[in-house]
Amino acid sequence: GLSGLLLRRFLRSCARTPRPGVRATRSKAGKDIRARLQQAGWNVQPSPWCSDGFVLDQPPEFEKGLCLEHLTGEIYFQELTSMLPVEALLAASAEHGRLCRGPHDLVLDL
């Protein structure tokens, strides 16, 4: 869970005005997604509590839904607060194993 420095960062972030965010899709985006977004002119900073999330300091000048990374499913636009439930589930699954089970024993890995 969040504690110490991570908790302080989280609480400071909650006190700020919400900014637009981007989340990378783990199965599609490479480790270099932040560098590629910056090369494309995006001003992105890592999320304080989500390893796959980024804060958009300045939204791009173009229609963001038409960027290549979004069209290929590497990223999607999401406010930082919406990233919290998945982070909580990931932390819980690390302690308790897989949490989501569907029909016919299909398992959803987060």
Side-chain angles (χ1 to χ4, degrees):
L2 294 176
S3 62
L5 179 61
L6 285 177
L7 179 59
R8 288 193 302 274
R9 285 181 180 171
F10 169 71
L11 293 173
R12 266 187 278 149
S13 295
C14 289
R16 295 184 194 126
T17 303
R19 295 182 289 173
V22 172
R23 186 172 193 133
T25 306
R26 291 178 184 192
S27 61
K28 294 183 180 183
K31 299 272 185 205
D32 65 337
I33 188 68
R34 180 179 176 202
R36 288 190 294 127
L37 291 174
Q38 288 175 326
Q39 286 175 347
W42 297 45
N43 189 5
V44 293
Q45 301 301 322
S47 164
W49 61 81
C50 177
S51 60
D52 298 326
F54 302 99
V55 178
L56 288 174
D57 284 337
Q58 296 174 335
E61 296 290 327
F62 55 88
E63 181 66 38
K64 60 185 179 184
L66 296 178
C67 71
L68 179 63
E69 293 81 8
H70 182 260
L71 292 173
T72 58
E74 290 181 272
I75 62 167
Y76 53 96
F77 298 91
Q78 185 177 47
E79 287 188 4
L80 294 179
T81 55
S82 298
M83 297 178 193
L84 287 172
V86 172
E87 291 302 306
L89 286 172
L90 287 171
S93 69
E95 294 175 22
H96 304 293
R98 292 180 166 155
L99 296 176
C100 304
R101 199 168 280 287
H104 310 292
D105 287 331
L106 295 175
V107 176
L108 173 63
D109 285 318
L110 296 175

